[in-house]
Amino acid sequence: MTHRFDTAAPGDRTTPRILAEAHELIGAAARAFGHDEYARTLLAHCEYRLREPLRVALAGSIKAGKSTLLNALVGQAVAPTDATECTRVVTWYRDAATPTVTAHAADGSRANVIVRRGSGAHGLTFDLNGLNWNARGPREVDHLEVGWPSAALSQTTIIDTPGTSSLSREVSLRTARLLTPADVEDDARATPLSVSGADAVVYLLRRLDAADVRFLEQIGAGAGGAGPLGVVGVVSRADEIGSGRIDALHSARDVAARFAAELERTGLCQAVIPVAGLLAFAAATLRQPEFAAFEALSTVPAEDLGVALLSADRFARADIALPVAPELRAQLADRFGLFGIRMATMLIRLGARDSSALAAELAARSGIEELRSVLEVQFGQRAGELKAHSALSTLDRILAAYPGTEADRLRPRVRARLADVHGFTELRLLGRLRTDELPLPPPVLADLYRILGGAGVAAHLRLGLPPEADPNTLRATAFAAVRTWRGRATHPLADRATATACRAAARSAEGILAELPQPSHSQRK
């Protein structure tokens, strides 16, 4: 199955314009800096950021399940999930013709990394011992780059980060440097030009504590307001919340709802989704012998199987009489977890007749498809805007760091673009929509969320119309939306936050009208 984030919405002409303006401004800055090689190198990286796939970082506390979720999103075992040295450095996963793993030092030195494969859920390891650097002397690994043939990675570069709550301050700083460089204090590696390396963030939560909230606040304000605009929360390892019971995901959804309520008050996340990452990855890589084992286990009386599944160790014991070899049982527990085993056997009893049907059912129940849908709406359909925001924010910091040149005249234009691009305004409002506790009825808040693109950026989705709606219907509905939101914005009882949000909604509706084909003369009559 191919997984990807779509990078453009049908009929969206605004995003190419934003990208073109960003290219133009970066090019003008490069010409203005003349022979300053370092500044031009920074600008070349900035320009490349517009052309490469969207950068999405996976962040969260230690053992939150970031690498497992990455494997599930890609649908292949590309990231080590055991606690090895490679999980303590930032690792970039990009599409490539052949698999390669490269270690990078801070001074630009590189070394090839040996990849070792074993068995079970932790079968992939990057060996960082004895690296042969292309420079004299040993080097400290600054970050890893993994090239892997993948349809998902061809659309989205995924960045796996070390745990934010690591006992080692240096390990935690590696994530802070990537996502919140302006907030990293007393860090010798942080420079005035430090900028966020990600366009959007998926933040994994096992619980919601002060450290999570503080880090999410830093992401939102990172790099002087130039941090990633898109942040989606994931209640990770959701199957463990219910102690592996068959109703674990229901418990996880309750927890996600509580997390969402807390985060909505601060506007730190655009959505919070529960995901059983281990089950999602196992479903994507389900093998026929595993299906046959689940089939055999489904014949065991539910009470007897329940007793065997009291713990993973008990399930794999040789003295437990089950129609599956103990070694294979241990592998099932390692790959699927107790929740996955219970779910798989239940689904087979309910009618899953082959491995592909079982894999699809397990994936649907893991939450991974819901997460993909949210990521496509929040990140994929706005990829151009997210990348343009990152590039323009980086350009603004470069211009600030190199004053007194002809490039100074560009900074007001860059600041104006960052402030005026309506897509950026929509993203900020979607992230803070419920933060301001707007005094609007729930149906009006739902309309506001939709017109701002919270359910997708296509015209019919913004207007709440079916996909087959004709241009005349779209135009009439958009005209009505412009009038409605303008009226709400100018209502004498509307407070400042409400008026601002309503004006943004009216502008979104005006943007829809601008995108629609103009009616013919006969249609105007």
Side-chain angles (χ1 to χ4, degrees):
M1 183 182 297
T2 298
H3 305 299
R4 61 186 294 270
F5 302 139
D6 291 333
T7 55
D12 182 8
R13 296 193 295 268
T14 304
T15 296
R17 187 164 62 246
I18 296 170
L19 292 172
E21 290 175 350
H23 276 292
E24 178 193 346
L25 288 166
I26 294 169
R31 291 189 294 274
F33 281 126
H35 299 294
D36 191 320
E37 184 176 349
Y38 182 61
R40 289 173 66 88
T41 299
L42 292 172
L43 289 167
H45 284 296
C46 186
E47 196 273 339
Y48 176 71
R49 191 162 182 171
L50 293 171
R51 293 184 284 110
E52 69 175 341
L54 185 73
R55 299 175 178 182
V56 176
L58 303 183
S61 63
I62 191 169
K63 288 293 184 181
K66 296 181 290 294
S67 300
T68 300
L69 181 62
L70 190 157
N71 287 335
L73 287 170
V74 175
Q76 301 180 59
V78 298
T81 56
D82 53 342
T84 57
E85 182 65 22
C86 60
T87 62
R88 296 163 59 85
V89 298
V90 174
T91 306
W92 295 64
Y93 291 84
R94 307 178 188 271
D95 183 45
T98 57
T100 59
V101 182
T102 307
H104 292 258
D107 65 359
S109 301
R110 295 182 296 174
N112 293 327
V113 177
I114 296 174
V115 180
R116 304 188 188 280
R117 283 193 178 275
S119 59
H122 311 303
L124 187 69
T125 301
F126 299 160
D127 187 354
L128 302 184
N129 296 316
L131 293 175
N132 185 19
W133 295 98
N134 64 340
R136 289 187 178 182
R139 297 287 192 278
E140 180 185 355
V141 176
D142 179 74
H143 67 279
L144 298 176
E145 287 207 12
V146 178
W148 208 273
S150 166
L153 294 176
S154 69
Q155 301 297 324
T156 309
T157 294
I158 303 180
I159 312 169
D160 196 7
T161 65
T164 57
S165 58
S166 173
L167 295 177
S168 168
R169 183 172 184 271
E170 173 57 30
V171 171
S172 294
L173 276 176
R174 290 167 182 164
T175 300
R177 290 187 198 112
L178 179 80
L179 300 178
T180 65
D183 296 299
V184 180
E185 299 177 357
D186 302 323
D187 181 7
R189 297 191 189 182
T191 72
L193 290 180
S194 295
V195 294
S196 173
D199 303 312
V201 178
V202 174
Y203 195 88
L204 281 71
L205 304 145
R206 296 188 70 181
R207 58 186 179 277
L208 187 61
D209 55 26
D212 287 318
V213 172
R214 185 163 56 250
F215 196 81
L216 285 166
E217 288 173 342
Q218 291 171 346
I219 291 174
L229 283 179
V231 181
V232 166
V234 168
V235 179
S236 62
R237 306 178 77 154
D239 51 317
E240 296 178 6
I241 290 176
S243 301
R245 299 190 313 269
I246 200 70
D247 63 345
L249 282 178
H250 293 292
S251 301
R253 290 191 181 281
D254 292 339
V255 171
R258 293 200 299 272
F259 286 2
E262 292 293 325
L263 294 171
E264 282 165 0
R265 281 196 282 271
T266 58
L268 297 177
C269 285
Q270 288 149 260
V272 181
I273 309 296
V275 178
L278 184 67
L279 179 61
F281 173 60
T285 55
L286 177 67
R287 298 183 281 265
Q288 184 60 36
E290 293 170 334
F291 175 77
F294 287 134
E295 258 193 327
L297 291 171
S298 69
T299 65
V300 178
E303 184 176 345
D304 293 344
L305 185 59
V307 172
L309 286 169
L310 289 175
S311 72
D313 289 340
R314 180 182 179 85
F315 180 67
R317 277 169 45 181
D319 60 343
I320 300 292
L322 291 172
V324 175
E327 295 80 5
L328 183 51
R329 280 184 259 151
Q331 177 183 315
L332 293 177
D334 188 37
R335 289 219 333 122
F336 291 82
L338 299 181
F339 170 75
I341 295 171
R342 291 189 177 101
M343 181 64 70
T345 53
M346 181 195 75
L347 290 170
I348 289 175
R349 292 190 191 106
L350 291 176
R353 292 290 175 253
D354 54 47
S355 59
S356 60
L358 179 61
E361 292 287 350
L362 290 174
R365 285 162 173 77
S366 71
I368 194 68
E369 298 303 331
E370 182 181 359
L371 176 61
R372 283 199 182 97
S373 176
V374 169
L375 294 181
E376 196 244 321
V377 170
Q378 301 291 349
F379 299 165
Q381 294 183 11
R382 294 183 180 269
E385 292 170 343
L386 292 169
K387 290 192 293 182
H389 179 268
S390 296
L392 289 171
S393 299
T394 302
L395 175 59
D396 184 51
R397 291 173 69 83
I398 294 172
L399 296 175
Y402 287 87
T405 72
E406 292 182 13
D408 286 349
R409 61 184 173 78
L410 298 174
R411 201 172 187 207
R413 290 179 59 193
V414 174
R415 285 293 181 91
R417 289 294 81 198
L418 285 169
D420 294 344
V421 171
H422 186 61
F424 300 163
T425 301
E426 288 183 332
L427 284 164
R428 294 187 187 103
L429 277 173
L430 287 170
R432 300 194 302 263
L433 188 56
R434 300 179 192 180
T435 306
D436 299 321
E437 299 181 357
L438 302 182
L440 296 171
V444 176
L445 283 173
D447 288 344
L448 178 60
Y449 178 82
R450 188 176 60 240
I451 196 72
L452 292 173
V457 298
H460 72 277
L461 293 173
R462 289 178 181 267
L463 297 172
L465 296 172
E468 62 274 10
D470 61 84
N472 288 336
T473 301
L474 291 169
R475 191 179 301 105
T477 307
F479 267 123
V482 171
R483 290 194 298 268
T484 297
W485 290 111
R486 281 179 180 172
R488 287 172 177 151
T490 57
H491 194 283
L493 297 181
D495 59 31
R496 182 176 179 179
T498 301
T500 298
C502 292
R503 281 195 297 270
R507 188 171 175 186
S508 295
E510 290 166 354
I512 295 172
L513 286 172
E515 294 286 324
L516 292 173
Q518 294 301 309
S520 64
H521 179 72
S522 60
Q523 288 175 317
R524 294 193 195 104
K525 291 182 178 181

